[in-house]
Amino acid sequence: MPTPMPGDPAPLFQLADAEGSRFELAAVAGRPVLLVVNGPAALPDAARGPLASAQASGLFDGVRALCVVCGAAPPGGPSHPGMRAVPDPDGVVARLYGAPAAFLLDPMLRVVVTAPLDALAAILAQLEEASRAPPPDLPAPVLLLPRVLEPELCQRLVAAFEAGHAQESGFMADRDGKLVWIYDRDAKRRRDAEIPDEALRAALRARIARRVAPEIRKAFQFDPTRIERYIVACYDAGEAGHFRAHRDNDTPGTAHRRFAVSINLNDGFEGGDIWFPEFGPRRWRAPAGGAIVFSCSILHEVTPVTRGRRYATLPFVFDEAAKAALDEAVRQRERRLAQRGG
């Protein structure tokens, strides 16, 4: 592949890091990233020295900036939150990026500048300057829609949560080609309850069809025809309810999701806002009965609730083409499982 140039989106990859944890480039958006693509050879001294100095200065703290070294280990040994060592034994990243080089990526993971490894000091100086500037506040492609659900319907949904059997909420992950449910309280603290009452489900479907779908068609030229998931979720200050930065369609079992519809059911809580790290620090909150609608492919995070409880209903919407693709993916997975069983 050709070497990415300034303005290009950085090619994405997933590999195990030096400690065996899963590393996904797409998951670290939202801050400047220095990507050092080296291959199997040791880092040249002209790169090791500046990297070690930048690490010692605190530049790579995971918030101001992140450094990812693909290939030989970076100075300082194992990965830590601000500097990730990602072995590349098969040359996957080296092929994606074309040659040993350093790439400065912006919070949207678009290439800002590239340089050979022996010119790394110049990129680090640019990164240091950028890290001192206020973070950009770009307009996220998000809809905020008030008056989606009436107060009485919000109250009925909250009552359904309180009367139901709420369970700790996990998330789906792809582990070695298998879809598994993960429960990680560092990443997510939330309780979910299914909405068992078909009348309540029908009421929710009707409001989304009448009040959300037309706005999605207008803003995004997409016609949602299907809904996934009828739940009421609760982020509770008593357990610092939150959900760290994630995407909603990044596994084979969730790839059909197109838009997330996050509908707040109450006011009177603090924290629990949604933000989109790729676009800047702005926090978003819908009023009670209002919805925030966004593409499932956008990185987003729910900040910790610090007082009270945030109740929300959180459906995903998609269309017939996505449904057909999902059905085909399920059939292929079943065929693979049957072949393994035989």
Side-chain angles (χ1 to χ4, degrees), residues 4 33 43 50 69 72 74 87-88 110 119 135 139 145 155 157-158 168 192-193 235 248 285 319 325 327 332:
V33 176
L43 280 171
V69 178
D88 186 21
R110 300 172 73 244
L145 304 175
Q155 293 165 9
L157 288 166
V158 172
E168 184 174 0
D192 296 345
Y235 292 95
D248 288 325
R285 175 182 297 204
D319 64 358
D327 291 344
Q332 291 181 6

Side-chain angles (χ1 to χ4, degrees), residues 14-16 20 22 173-180 252 336 340:
Q14 301 178 13
L15 289 171
R22 188 180 186 84
D174 184 358
R175 294 292 183 266
D176 299 324
K178 298 180 180 179
L179 295 178
V180 296
R336 287 195 298 270
R340 292 174 186 172

Side-chain angles (χ1 to χ4, degrees), residues 4 8 19 30 70 74 89 189 200 266 278:
D8 292 345
E19 297 176 336
C70 292
R189 296 185 187 181
L200 266 181
N266 67 308
E278 293 163 300

Side-chain angles (χ1 to χ4, degrees), residues 318-339:
F318 55 107
D319 64 358
E320 299 309 307
K323 177 63 167 61
L326 174 62
D327 291 344
E328 178 59 26
V330 170
R331 285 192 292 269
Q332 291 181 6
R333 186 161 62 246
E334 289 175 346
R335 282 197 293 268
R336 287 195 298 270
L337 291 173
Q339 291 168 357

Side-chain angles (χ1 to χ4, degrees), residues 97-336:
Y97 284 82
F103 300 83
L104 179 57
L105 312 180
D106 67 17
M108 295 178 69
L109 301 181
R110 300 172 73 244
V111 177
V112 177
V113 65
T114 72
L117 295 183
D118 58 8
L120 189 58
I123 286 188
L124 286 167
Q126 186 171 343
L127 177 58
E128 175 69 38
E129 181 178 354
S131 73
R132 293 195 297 266
D137 190 7
L138 304 175
V142 173
L143 290 176
L144 196 159
L145 304 175
R147 300 179 298 279
V148 172
L149 303 183
E150 306 91 317
E152 184 270 339
L153 182 53
C154 291
Q155 293 165 9
R156 289 172 60 196
L157 288 166
V158 172
F161 176 91
E162 298 296 349
H165 299 284
Q167 298 181 344
E168 184 174 0
S169 180
F171 53 91
M172 196 176 292
D174 184 358
R175 294 292 183 266
D176 299 324
K178 298 180 180 179
L179 295 178
V180 296
W181 278 99
I182 301 293
Y183 295 91
D184 180 351
R185 288 179 63 80
D186 288 335
K188 183 181 185 182
R189 296 185 187 181
R190 192 181 83 198
R191 288 180 296 133
D192 296 345
E194 292 284 338
I195 303 172
D197 185 343
E198 181 52 39
L200 266 181
R201 291 185 176 213
L204 183 58
R205 266 197 312 273
R207 271 70 173 177
I208 290 174
R210 290 167 61 96
R211 299 168 185 170
V212 176
E215 303 304 325
I216 293 177
R217 285 193 286 270
K218 180 169 61 178
F220 302 114
Q221 299 189 59
F222 178 82
D223 186 17
T225 58
R226 290 181 175 265
I227 295 177
E228 175 188 335
R229 202 167 67 166
Y230 293 91
I231 64 169
V232 176
C234 178
Y235 292 95
D236 191 334
E239 54 185 14
H242 68 277
F243 197 170
R244 287 188 179 173
H246 63 284
R247 304 177 198 270
D248 288 325
N249 63 352
D250 58 357
T251 73
T254 58
H256 62 283
R257 297 171 178 174
R258 294 297 180 261
F259 287 89
V261 182
S262 177
I263 305 175
N264 278 348
L265 302 176
N266 67 308
D267 289 317
F269 58 89
E270 294 179 2
D273 298 325
I274 301 175
W275 72 296
F276 303 91
E278 293 163 300
F279 296 90
R282 178 180 173 181
R283 268 53 173 170
W284 296 73
R285 175 182 297 204
I292 295 175
V293 183
F294 52 92
S295 168
C296 289
S297 62
I298 297 178
L299 192 72
H300 58 286
E301 180 172 342
V302 179
T303 64
V305 172
T306 57
R307 185 177 68 84
R309 291 178 172 181
R310 176 196 170 206
Y311 295 94
T313 186
L314 306 170
F316 300 109
V317 297
F318 55 107
D319 64 358
E320 299 309 307
K323 177 63 167 61
L326 174 62
D327 291 344
E328 178 59 26
V330 170
R331 285 192 292 269
Q332 291 181 6
R333 186 161 62 246
E334 289 175 346
R335 282 197 293 268
R336 287 195 298 270

